[in-house]
């Protein structure tokens, strides 16, 4: 089965590429602790190069083999590579915030215009919808980057999401080529996971978090375009709520939101003494529940089910965020 093959081969290729690249990353791409960091010693970053390379190589070969839409894959793959180049440049020499933001808007706009996915009712002007999608896409890419500040947290968040999207291809809800791309990304993250296990020996870096944000955000947009808007919101809901609430709080305090910080709920949890693995376990378990709620909205697509599932998802994420923000949790023992 091509989806399973894509997952397994991408995991193997990602791990092999990391083994090859790691000596170079140790020499040229050390992440030194800053105000945002959870690590205390310089650690190589750039593992996202292997993750993205494995994802696109496996997905591309699979698409050619099965005569799947290579042109469409090329567009989203090129956008992911563009984000990877931007992230690599920023990893090596931090770029001004305005340059990063302008480039992100250019890349996301190109993707939105290339695929032309329509989500809102016809009375909503097409131009207005495009603007909303571009702004939302840029925010999603950045929030994935912001949330990638703890060992294994991106694995705990993105493996359930990409695995779910890959599964939708097996049941015919998503096109097969998107399912293959999702499976390849899921596998690549699994291959990266042993190197990022707490205490991490390797980080994704911006090259990985930005490109993963683009790929996953695009997959969720395609899911929403099939009528699964509620599912597309539920799947990344933990990242959405943690990052958005944190941003709004920082704006309210008049802080410079583009500067490094430790205000996210998962960061508060570790500052309060919660073990990293315990935080990851909460995120992973929560995402499995959110995936189940997303599946429920697809199986029973009535308006009432959508509202109930979304409300329950918000409550569950809110409970986890509240738990992370409280000191003296039992999970820290």
């Amino acid at each position: 089965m091509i989806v399973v093959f894509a997952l397994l081969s991408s995991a193997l290729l990602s791990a092999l590429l990391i083994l090859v690249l790691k000596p170079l990353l140790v020499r040229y791409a050390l992440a030194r602790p800053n105000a945002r960091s959870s690590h205390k010693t310089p650690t190589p970053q750039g593992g996202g190069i292997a993750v993205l390379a494995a994802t696109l190589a496996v997905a591309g070969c699979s698409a050619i083999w099965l005569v799947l839409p290579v042109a469409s894959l090329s567009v989203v793959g090129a956008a992911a590579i563009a984000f990877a180049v931007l992230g690599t440049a920023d990893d090596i020499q931090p770029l001004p915030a305005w340059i990063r933001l302008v480039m992100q808007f250019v890349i996301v706009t190109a993707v939105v215009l290339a695929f032309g996915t329509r989500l809102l009712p016809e009375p909503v002007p097409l131009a207005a919808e495009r603007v909303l999608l571009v702004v939302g896409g840029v925010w999603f890419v950045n929030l994935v980057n912001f949330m990638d500040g703890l060992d294994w947290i991106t694995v705990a968040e993105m493996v359930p999401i990409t695995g779910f999207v890959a599964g939708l291809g097996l049941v015919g809800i998503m096109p097969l080529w998107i399912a293959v791309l999702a499976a390849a990304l899921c596998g690549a993250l699994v291959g990266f996971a042993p190197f990022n296990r707490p205490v991490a020996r390797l980080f994704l870096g911006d090259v990985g978090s930005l490109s993963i944000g683009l790929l996953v955000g695009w997959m969720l947009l395609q899911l929403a375009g099939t009528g699964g808007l509620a599912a597309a919101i539920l799947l990344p809901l933990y990242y959405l709520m943690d990052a958005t609430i944190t941003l709004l709080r920082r704006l309210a305090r008049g802080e410079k939101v583009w500067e490094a910080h430790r205000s996210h709920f998962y960061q508060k949890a570790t500052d309060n003494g919660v073990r990293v693995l315990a935080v990851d376990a909460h995120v992973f378990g929560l995402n499995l529940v959110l995936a189940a709620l997303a599946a429920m909205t697809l199986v029973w697509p009535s308006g009432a089910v959508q509202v109930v599932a979304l409300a329950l998802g918000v409550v569950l994420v809110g409970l986890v965020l509240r738990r992370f923000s409280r000191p003296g949790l039992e999970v820290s023992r």
Side-chain angles (χ1 to χ4, degrees), residues 2-318:
I2 187 61
V3 172
V4 176
F5 170 79
L7 191 152
L8 296 177
S9 58
S10 185
L12 178 61
L13 180 58
S14 177
L16 290 176
L17 287 173
I18 287 172
L19 291 174
V20 172
L21 290 171
K22 192 176 178 184
L24 292 174
L25 299 177
V26 169
R27 184 172 181 179
Y28 297 109
L30 280 181
R32 303 188 182 280
N34 59 28
R36 174 190 173 214
S37 304
S38 295
H39 65 291
K40 297 181 180 179
T41 58
T43 303
Q45 60 184 340
I49 297 173
V51 171
L52 181 62
T55 299
L56 296 183
V58 170
C61 290
S62 300
I64 294 172
W65 179 29
L66 295 177
V67 196
L68 298 174
V70 177
S72 296
L73 178 61
S74 298
V75 171
V76 69
I81 291 172
F83 266 112
V85 172
L86 180 64
T88 300
D90 199 43
D91 282 340
I92 295 173
Q93 179 64 47
L95 300 172
W98 72 268
I99 292 179
R100 295 199 307 268
L101 195 60
V102 168
M103 292 303 299
Q104 290 170 3
F105 268 99
V106 170
I107 299 168
V108 173
T109 298
V111 173
V112 169
L113 294 179
F115 286 93
T117 306
R118 191 78 201 253
L119 301 181
L120 302 178
E122 290 297 332
V124 177
L126 181 60
E129 182 181 47
R130 293 290 181 265
V131 169
L132 290 173
L133 289 178
V134 169
V135 172
V138 171
W139 173 231
F140 189 84
V141 169
N142 278 283
L143 72 85
V144 172
N145 178 242
F146 296 157
M147 294 295 292
D148 183 42
L150 192 69
D151 303 343
W152 257 4
I153 194 168
T154 296
V155 174
E157 176 75 9
M158 294 304 175
V159 165
I161 294 175
T162 52
F164 185 88
V165 174
L168 293 181
L170 296 177
V171 296
I173 294 178
M174 295 291 285
L176 180 59
W177 73 275
I178 296 178
V180 169
L181 179 60
L185 179 53
C186 183
L189 285 167
V190 171
F192 164 74
F195 303 92
N196 190 238
R197 182 184 185 279
V199 174
R201 293 171 289 151
L202 180 67
F203 299 147
L204 281 172
D206 286 358
V207 59
S209 59
L210 292 175
S211 56
I212 290 170
L214 183 280
L215 290 174
V216 173
W218 175 83
M219 291 175 198
L220 295 173
L221 176 61
Q222 303 312 302
L223 173 58
T226 66
L229 179 59
I233 294 172
L234 281 164
L235 289 171
L237 192 57
Y238 168 68
Y239 263 29
L240 286 173
M241 288 182 61
D242 190 323
T244 303
I245 293 171
T246 299
L247 174 70
L248 294 176
R249 284 180 168 179
R250 296 191 71 210
L251 285 171
R253 292 193 295 264
E255 298 178 9
K256 297 178 180 179
V257 295
W258 56 88
E259 293 184 348
H261 66 94
R262 288 192 56 81
S263 303
H264 288 289
F265 288 87
Y266 73 88
Q267 292 170 324
K268 292 179 181 178
T270 56
D271 289 344
N272 288 332
V274 182
R275 292 179 296 112
V276 172
L277 283 175
V279 174
D280 293 330
H282 275 69
V283 173
F284 186 75
L286 173 63
N287 276 291
L288 293 181
V289 176
L290 292 174
L293 291 174
M296 187 174 73
T297 66
L298 296 174
V299 174
W300 298 288
S302 71
V305 172
Q306 313 285 308
V307 171
V308 169
L310 285 168
L312 185 55
V314 169
V315 170
L316 291 173
V317 174

